[in-house]
Amino acid sequence: MRNRKERKQGVFSRLLSYGEGYERFTLAGCVMAGISAVLVLAPYYFIWKIVHEALMPGASGVNYAQMVHDGWMAVLFTAIRTVLYFCALMLTHYAAFNIAGNMRLSGMRHLLKLPLGYFTNKESGALRKIIDENASLTEDLLAHKLADTTASFVTPIVAVALLFVFDWRMGLACILMMALSMAAMMSMMSGKYAGFYRRWQEANEKISGEAVEYVRGIPVVKTFQQTIHSFRSFHKAITECGDLAKGYAMSCRTGQTFFLTFVHGAFFLLIPIAILLAAYGSSSGWEVLSNFIFYALFAPACGGTINKVMYAHQAVMDATEAVIKLDKIESAPVQEDHGGMTATRGNGVEFEAVRFQYSEMEREVLSDVALSAGEGKVTALVGPSGGGKTTAASLIPRFYDVTGGKVMLGSADV
């Protein structure tokens, strides 16, 4: 079982803790993705040089050899960037699949050590989703989004510098729209929206659990003609999940509208700025036009980077909830196996000063209980509802381990 310190780590540290050596492939993939993010900007520079040469040739005319050279350089950097990004994704995918597999194995190994009583109030469908499907959610983050996130943080740093190289006024317009789109995006991920992914995961776990219970109960349902009543809880879980998704989508419509407007809106600021610079600026109209073409091509690339940040944030939230759910399973106290037990005949079951407390409760359910149930005799355990009768019976087959005292089967302590 992982200790408390490990459970307090961030989602990335927690995921990489399952790596068992594979995390180095994730780190190498992120480094390569970061390098590819820098190289992706180089073709825009060479395209600008080609346009600049075509619109503003030197005294000897257009230097076609230089234009061809710049064109091939743009192709070369694009090819290098593509190869690097491909290799980065290959590494992150390889690590992601192995880490997700290790998460499933870790969760299953811990489940095998838990007392049987742990499963009495846990739906098997919900446990299956946590172990299997939630681990799959981390694959998207580690395989795709982590590399994209690295690139998304590297690209703006280089892009901001590049935006001011040719014309700071056009560059400032692009940065302004990027900042506004980021603000619109963050408005959909904070405040009342922050807990959506947790509620979404819980709703899906409930659907999964209800579906398994419904399918398992079909023979009984058909025998007693209870189809409508048995489907009610399953239908309710589906409806609640649908209402949750619909409510979140509708609440984000304003933020999403502003986000899409700003992320693609730099072009509408560049046009009036270019017109004013051409009419009243110190630069020639051809120079303004070449700079405008560069920014008109480069601004959408910056918008694509911001889009990746938004999708990466969603993947982080999904993976965070997956890790939290798995941690809840792995934090459950295990039941130690002390080897085989040989019981003697003739003594029945004895409770000796038995105390028991459920891990999720603050007070003891049983306190200093002593009883004797002789072998071959009928012993009645009578008491009010909630008095601990079922709990006491569950301690005999060791569905739970006692907090204190002993449960004896013959001369053997269970």
Side-chain angles (χ1 to χ4, degrees), residues 17-196:
S17 69
Y18 291 99
E20 298 180 3
Y22 293 104
E23 65 275 8
R24 65 180 184 271
F25 294 99
T26 300
L27 299 176
C30 290
V31 171
M32 297 179 71
I35 297 173
S36 71
V38 176
L39 296 180
V40 78
L41 304 176
Y44 293 98
Y45 170 73
F46 289 106
I47 291 173
W48 173 84
K49 289 187 64 179
I50 294 172
V51 174
H52 192 77
E53 179 66 27
L55 296 178
M56 300 181 63
S60 58
V62 178
N63 189 344
Y64 292 104
Q66 182 63 42
M67 293 175 67
V68 171
H69 173 267
D70 291 336
W72 280 113
M73 291 298 293
V75 172
L76 176 63
F77 276 100
T78 301
I80 295 174
R81 182 263 172 187
T82 302
V83 172
L84 277 175
Y85 189 66
F86 174 80
C87 294
L89 290 183
M90 289 291 291
L91 292 173
T92 55
H93 274 75
Y94 179 68
F97 295 143
N98 283 282
I99 289 174
N102 289 340
M103 290 181 68
R104 295 186 180 98
L105 288 174
S106 177
M108 287 302 300
R109 288 177 182 140
H110 193 82
L111 283 179
L112 293 175
K113 298 177 182 179
L114 296 178
L116 293 177
Y118 176 84
F119 302 94
T120 58
N121 59 349
K122 298 289 190 301
E123 294 176 332
S124 58
L127 290 175
R128 182 199 62 81
K129 185 181 184 304
I130 293 173
I131 298 296
D132 186 23
E133 293 184 21
N134 283 17
S136 298
L137 291 176
T138 65
E139 293 176 9
D140 183 46
L141 174 63
L142 294 176
H144 291 278
K145 300 304 189 295
L146 190 56
D148 289 341
T149 301
T150 304
S152 299
F153 281 106
V154 173
T155 301
I157 297 174
V158 182
V160 168
L162 194 59
L163 284 172
F164 286 102
V165 168
F166 307 109
D167 191 294
W168 67 269
R169 290 151 295 195
M170 293 187 186
L172 189 62
C174 294
I175 292 176
L176 175 62
M177 300 307 287
M178 289 173 61
L180 290 174
S181 61
M182 288 289 290
M185 179 181 67
M186 294 307 298
S187 69
M188 296 184 291
M189 299 178 180
S190 59
K192 63 180 180 180
Y193 309 117
F196 167 74

Side-chain angles (χ1 to χ4, degrees), residues 347-395:
N347 294 323
V349 176
E350 297 281 346
F351 276 39
E352 300 178 2
V354 168
R355 295 168 37 244
F356 179 76
Q357 178 179 347
Y358 290 103
S359 58
E360 65 272 14
M361 297 182 66
E362 297 182 357
R363 64 180 184 84
E364 290 183 336
V365 179
L366 302 177
S367 179
D368 197 27
V369 174
L371 63 84
S372 176
E375 182 180 0
K377 299 180 180 179
V378 176
T379 302
L381 189 59
V382 181
S385 178
K389 304 183 298 299
T390 303
T391 299
S394 299
L395 296 178

Side-chain angles (χ1 to χ4, degrees), residues 145 148-153 156 182 185-186 189 259 302-316:
K145 300 304 189 295
D148 289 341
T149 301
T150 304
S152 299
F153 281 106
M182 288 289 290
M185 179 181 67
M186 294 307 298
M189 299 178 180
F259 171 75
C302 297
T305 299
I306 297 174
N307 266 320
K308 289 183 178 180
V309 172
M310 182 176 66
Y311 292 123
H313 183 272
Q314 178 180 344
V316 169

Side-chain angles (χ1 to χ4, degrees), residues 252-410:
C252 288
R253 63 187 183 275
T254 302
Q256 182 72 1
T257 300
F258 279 109
F259 171 75
L260 294 176
T261 300
F262 292 138
V263 81
H264 300 295
F267 187 78
F268 297 100
L269 280 182
L270 291 175
I271 293 176
I273 291 176
I275 293 174
L276 292 173
L277 289 175
Y280 304 105
S282 57
S283 303
S284 67
W286 292 113
E287 184 176 357
V288 172
L289 179 59
S290 65
N291 290 338
F292 171 78
I293 293 175
F294 168 79
Y295 286 105
L297 293 174
F298 190 68
C302 297
T305 299
I306 297 174
N307 266 320
K308 289 183 178 180
V309 172
M310 182 176 66
Y311 292 123
H313 183 272
Q314 178 180 344
V316 169
M317 295 301 296
D318 287 338
T320 300
E321 290 301 321
V323 170
I324 290 174
K325 297 294 184 182
L326 186 59
D327 277 345
K328 287 184 178 179
I329 291 179
E330 295 191 339
S331 63
V334 300
Q335 189 174 53
E336 299 296 334
D337 185 5
H338 300 291
M341 182 187 72
T342 302
T344 58
R345 298 178 60 85
N347 294 323
V349 176
E350 297 281 346
F351 276 39
E352 300 178 2
V354 168
R355 295 168 37 244
F356 179 76
Q357 178 179 347
Y358 290 103
S359 58
E360 65 272 14
M361 297 182 66
E362 297 182 357
R363 64 180 184 84
E364 290 183 336
V365 179
L366 302 177
S367 179
D368 197 27
V369 174
L371 63 84
S372 176
E375 182 180 0
K377 299 180 180 179
V378 176
T379 302
L381 189 59
V382 181
S385 178
K389 304 183 298 299
T390 303
T391 299
S394 299
L395 296 178
I396 300 172
R398 206 186 174 197
F399 276 28
Y400 301 97
D401 280 340
V402 296
T403 307
K406 294 181 180 179
V407 177
M408 305 295 294
L409 182 59

